[in-house]
Amino acid sequence: MIEPTPEQVLMRDSLVQLLGDGVARTRSAGEAWPRIDRAPWADIAGAGWPGLLVPEASGGWGGTALDMVMLLEGAAATLAPEPLPAVLAIAPLLAACESPAAAALLGQLVSGEAIVLMAESGAFPLSHEAGFVLFDAHWADEVICAEGEGDAFRLVAVPAADLADAPLRRTIDGSGQRVFSLPAGAGLELARGSRAEAAYHRAINRLRLGAAASLMGHVRAALALTIDYLGVRTQFGQPIGSFQALQHRAASLHVAHTAGWALVCEAALSVGGEKEGIACAMAKAKASSTARDVLKDCVQMHGAIGFSDEYALAPLFRRAVTLASAFGTSQVCLGEIGSLPRCA
């Protein structure tokens, strides 16, 4: 098992302290949906977090993918609603575009002036046609979209306001999703050609890796809540955690989390190598299935309180359900592994 370095622990603890009571903000955001409170994001950007993976030459921290997963796994327990995992993955894509338009957008992202997210392309059952889907859509100021392939590949930025005609759907965790189509030639071109396409695929890998790390953080937080509950809930005059059947079940859930987290860390170490795409897809597939199975069992072991909005397990479960479907479900990621491009 890969353990965080002392520097990564300090960074993680600093981020967790900055994010604060994310559960309370998530509940407040649900009541105000689709309006958002940008003040916490200004604090996050002011501390420089969006530039974690941006090269130092481009004004960032020059952090690694392992830094990212250690931070996101630890921060996931806060349930902060801000789209930090996606922004961390997208910032180095803008740095790799090497165009004035991309550099300007990167500056706005790192400073907190604009939140830039990337839409996923493909055919989606609810849209009845090929198009794009954008997660955390109510946060976006600018949306990055990819068109074509090879020399005809084109990476563009579209103002989120231009997508307002596409309905904003509320997801189970209280965030927003928008499915839309992009007219030919729309958007501000950021990059073009096969190099831009390779950078785009690397961004998809980082999005999947960040989502996988966050899912493992949700699993760890849910397990901690469950273990505590098993120690205080009594039946037949003794804590239910003393019953062997529940002990074995809790141990199996711990093993599942440990296996999933190990795969996420290994995928982070693969970033930059030729098996990056395969490793990140495998990590996302494993994290999605693990989160679904473990969170379901944690809710069941709690009984009725596990469904209560007032208890932290319910929002953890809902966030995990949404995140498990973002950037490729388990089935999608496993189906892609044989055909994924290798990132040299």
PDB file of all heavy atoms in Angstrom, residues 208 281-282 285-286 289 328-339:
ATOM      1  N   ARG A 208     -10.967  10.809 -14.765  1.00  0.00           N
ATOM      2  CA  ARG A 208     -11.337   9.499 -14.230  1.00  0.00           C
ATOM      3  C   ARG A 208     -10.561   9.182 -12.958  1.00  0.00           C
ATOM      4  O   ARG A 208     -11.123   8.653 -11.991  1.00  0.00           O
ATOM      5  CB  ARG A 208     -11.090   8.422 -15.289  1.00  0.00           C
ATOM      6  CG  ARG A 208     -12.098   8.463 -16.418  1.00  0.00           C
ATOM      7  CD  ARG A 208     -11.810   7.445 -17.501  1.00  0.00           C
ATOM      8  NE  ARG A 208     -12.947   7.355 -18.426  1.00  0.00           N
ATOM      9  CZ  ARG A 208     -12.960   6.617 -19.526  1.00  0.00           C
ATOM     10  NH1 ARG A 208     -11.880   5.915 -19.870  1.00  0.00           N
ATOM     11  NH2 ARG A 208     -14.043   6.594 -20.293  1.00  0.00           N
ATOM     12  N   ALA A 281      -8.654   3.973 -16.533  1.00  0.00           N
ATOM     13  CA  ALA A 281      -9.964   3.378 -16.780  1.00  0.00           C
ATOM     14  C   ALA A 281     -10.240   2.240 -15.797  1.00  0.00           C
ATOM     15  O   ALA A 281     -11.352   2.101 -15.277  1.00  0.00           O
ATOM     16  CB  ALA A 281     -10.046   2.879 -18.220  1.00  0.00           C
ATOM     17  N   MET A 282      -9.235   1.421 -15.527  1.00  0.00           N
ATOM     18  CA  MET A 282      -9.397   0.328 -14.573  1.00  0.00           C
ATOM     19  C   MET A 282      -9.667   0.866 -13.168  1.00  0.00           C
ATOM     20  O   MET A 282     -10.510   0.338 -12.437  1.00  0.00           O
ATOM     21  CB  MET A 282      -8.152  -0.556 -14.581  1.00  0.00           C
ATOM     22  CG  MET A 282      -7.979  -1.378 -15.839  1.00  0.00           C
ATOM     23  SD  MET A 282      -6.454  -2.382 -15.825  1.00  0.00           S
ATOM     24  CE  MET A 282      -6.811  -3.507 -14.473  1.00  0.00           C
ATOM     25  N   ALA A 285     -13.246   2.166 -13.056  1.00  0.00           N
ATOM     26  CA  ALA A 285     -14.181   1.045 -13.045  1.00  0.00           C
ATOM     27  C   ALA A 285     -14.242   0.393 -11.663  1.00  0.00           C
ATOM     28  O   ALA A 285     -15.328   0.126 -11.128  1.00  0.00           O
ATOM     29  CB  ALA A 285     -13.785   0.018 -14.108  1.00  0.00           C
ATOM     30  N   LYS A 286     -13.080   0.146 -11.085  1.00  0.00           N
ATOM     31  CA  LYS A 286     -13.025  -0.501  -9.776  1.00  0.00           C
ATOM     32  C   LYS A 286     -13.602   0.410  -8.696  1.00  0.00           C
ATOM     33  O   LYS A 286     -14.370  -0.052  -7.830  1.00  0.00           O
ATOM     34  CB  LYS A 286     -11.580  -0.858  -9.448  1.00  0.00           C
ATOM     35  CG  LYS A 286     -11.375  -1.503  -8.079  1.00  0.00           C
ATOM     36  CD  LYS A 286     -12.060  -2.846  -7.989  1.00  0.00           C
ATOM     37  CE  LYS A 286     -11.705  -3.556  -6.680  1.00  0.00           C
ATOM     38  NZ  LYS A 286     -12.428  -4.850  -6.544  1.00  0.00           N
ATOM     39  N   SER A 289     -17.555   0.562  -8.956  1.00  0.00           N
ATOM     40  CA  SER A 289     -18.232  -0.642  -8.476  1.00  0.00           C
ATOM     41  C   SER A 289     -18.053  -0.818  -6.970  1.00  0.00           C
ATOM     42  O   SER A 289     -18.979  -1.216  -6.260  1.00  0.00           O
ATOM     43  CB  SER A 289     -17.724  -1.880  -9.225  1.00  0.00           C
ATOM     44  OG  SER A 289     -16.331  -2.064  -9.038  1.00  0.00           O
ATOM     45  N   GLY A 328     -17.526   7.955 -17.321  1.00  0.00           N
ATOM     46  CA  GLY A 328     -17.489   6.525 -17.631  1.00  0.00           C
ATOM     47  C   GLY A 328     -17.872   5.663 -16.452  1.00  0.00           C
ATOM     48  O   GLY A 328     -17.200   5.681 -15.420  1.00  0.00           O
ATOM     49  N   THR A 329     -18.959   4.906 -16.587  1.00  0.00           N
ATOM     50  CA  THR A 329     -19.332   3.944 -15.562  1.00  0.00           C
ATOM     51  C   THR A 329     -18.359   2.774 -15.566  1.00  0.00           C
ATOM     52  O   THR A 329     -17.477   2.692 -16.422  1.00  0.00           O
ATOM     53  CB  THR A 329     -20.754   3.422 -15.814  1.00  0.00           C
ATOM     54  OG1 THR A 329     -20.752   2.729 -17.083  1.00  0.00           O
ATOM     55  CG2 THR A 329     -21.769   4.562 -15.865  1.00  0.00           C
ATOM     56  N   SER A 330     -18.542   1.851 -14.639  1.00  0.00           N
ATOM     57  CA  SER A 330     -17.686   0.659 -14.623  1.00  0.00           C
ATOM     58  C   SER A 330     -17.758  -0.077 -15.947  1.00  0.00           C
ATOM     59  O   SER A 330     -16.732  -0.486 -16.512  1.00  0.00           O
ATOM     60  CB  SER A 330     -18.115  -0.282 -13.486  1.00  0.00           C
ATOM     61  OG  SER A 330     -17.900   0.296 -12.229  1.00  0.00           O
ATOM     62  N   GLN A 331     -18.989  -0.228 -16.476  1.00  0.00           N
ATOM     63  CA  GLN A 331     -19.152  -0.967 -17.723  1.00  0.00           C
ATOM     64  C   GLN A 331     -18.497  -0.233 -18.891  1.00  0.00           C
ATOM     65  O   GLN A 331     -17.839  -0.848 -19.741  1.00  0.00           O
ATOM     66  CB  GLN A 331     -20.645  -1.176 -18.006  1.00  0.00           C
ATOM     67  CG  GLN A 331     -21.347  -2.089 -17.021  1.00  0.00           C
ATOM     68  CD  GLN A 331     -21.771  -1.374 -15.745  1.00  0.00           C
ATOM     69  OE1 GLN A 331     -21.521  -0.180 -15.569  1.00  0.00           O
ATOM     70  NE2 GLN A 331     -22.410  -2.115 -14.853  1.00  0.00           N
ATOM     71  N   VAL A 332     -18.656   1.071 -18.939  1.00  0.00           N
ATOM     72  CA  VAL A 332     -18.068   1.847 -20.030  1.00  0.00           C
ATOM     73  C   VAL A 332     -16.548   1.780 -19.986  1.00  0.00           C
ATOM     74  O   VAL A 332     -15.876   1.547 -21.006  1.00  0.00           O
ATOM     75  CB  VAL A 332     -18.545   3.311 -19.963  1.00  0.00           C
ATOM     76  CG1 VAL A 332     -17.730   4.191 -20.906  1.00  0.00           C
ATOM     77  CG2 VAL A 332     -20.029   3.404 -20.323  1.00  0.00           C
ATOM     78  N   CYS A 333     -15.975   1.985 -18.804  1.00  0.00           N
ATOM     79  CA  CYS A 333     -14.510   1.976 -18.683  1.00  0.00           C
ATOM     80  C   CYS A 333     -13.928   0.610 -19.022  1.00  0.00           C
ATOM     81  O   CYS A 333     -12.919   0.511 -19.730  1.00  0.00           O
ATOM     82  CB  CYS A 333     -14.108   2.390 -17.261  1.00  0.00           C
ATOM     83  SG  CYS A 333     -14.356   4.133 -16.894  1.00  0.00           S
ATOM     84  N   LEU A 334     -14.565  -0.451 -18.540  1.00  0.00           N
ATOM     85  CA  LEU A 334     -14.062  -1.791 -18.846  1.00  0.00           C
ATOM     86  C   LEU A 334     -14.195  -2.095 -20.335  1.00  0.00           C
ATOM     87  O   LEU A 334     -13.322  -2.736 -20.928  1.00  0.00           O
ATOM     88  CB  LEU A 334     -14.827  -2.833 -18.025  1.00  0.00           C
ATOM     89  CG  LEU A 334     -14.550  -2.829 -16.521  1.00  0.00           C
ATOM     90  CD1 LEU A 334     -15.450  -3.823 -15.808  1.00  0.00           C
ATOM     91  CD2 LEU A 334     -13.092  -3.141 -16.220  1.00  0.00           C
ATOM     92  N   GLY A 335     -15.271  -1.603 -20.952  1.00  0.00           N
ATOM     93  CA  GLY A 335     -15.454  -1.836 -22.375  1.00  0.00           C
ATOM     94  C   GLY A 335     -14.455  -1.094 -23.244  1.00  0.00           C
ATOM     95  O   GLY A 335     -14.165  -1.515 -24.373  1.00  0.00           O
ATOM     96  N   GLU A 336     -13.923   0.017 -22.727  1.00  0.00           N
ATOM     97  CA  GLU A 336     -12.981   0.826 -23.502  1.00  0.00           C
ATOM     98  C   GLU A 336     -11.539   0.345 -23.406  1.00  0.00           C
ATOM     99  O   GLU A 336     -10.710   0.716 -24.235  1.00  0.00           O
ATOM    100  CB  GLU A 336     -13.032   2.279 -23.024  1.00  0.00           C
ATOM    101  CG  GLU A 336     -14.292   3.035 -23.415  1.00  0.00           C
ATOM    102  CD  GLU A 336     -14.238   4.473 -22.928  1.00  0.00           C
ATOM    103  OE1 GLU A 336     -13.210   4.847 -22.322  1.00  0.00           O
ATOM    104  OE2 GLU A 336     -15.206   5.200 -23.158  1.00  0.00           O
ATOM    105  N   ILE A 337     -11.245  -0.450 -22.396  1.00  0.00           N
ATOM    106  CA  ILE A 337      -9.833  -0.738 -22.088  1.00  0.00           C
ATOM    107  C   ILE A 337      -9.089  -1.317 -23.279  1.00  0.00           C
ATOM    108  O   ILE A 337      -7.945  -0.941 -23.563  1.00  0.00           O
ATOM    109  CB  ILE A 337      -9.754  -1.698 -20.866  1.00  0.00           C
ATOM    110  CG1 ILE A 337     -10.051  -0.892 -19.590  1.00  0.00           C
ATOM    111  CG2 ILE A 337      -8.379  -2.336 -20.777  1.00  0.00           C
ATOM    112  CD1 ILE A 337     -10.130  -1.736 -18.337  1.00  0.00           C
ATOM    113  N   GLY A 338      -9.728  -2.197 -24.035  1.00  0.00           N
ATOM    114  CA  GLY A 338      -9.034  -2.815 -25.161  1.00  0.00           C
ATOM    115  C   GLY A 338      -8.751  -1.869 -26.310  1.00  0.00           C
ATOM    116  O   GLY A 338      -7.864  -2.131 -27.132  1.00  0.00           O
ATOM    117  N   SER A 339      -9.470  -0.757 -26.379  1.00  0.00           N
ATOM    118  CA  SER A 339      -9.303   0.156 -27.518  1.00  0.00           C
ATOM    119  C   SER A 339      -8.740   1.508 -27.136  1.00  0.00           C
ATOM    120  O   SER A 339      -8.629   2.394 -27.979  1.00  0.00           O
ATOM    121  CB  SER A 339     -10.660   0.374 -28.202  1.00  0.00           C
ATOM    122  OG  SER A 339     -11.607   0.921 -27.293  1.00  0.00           O
TER     123      SER A 339
END
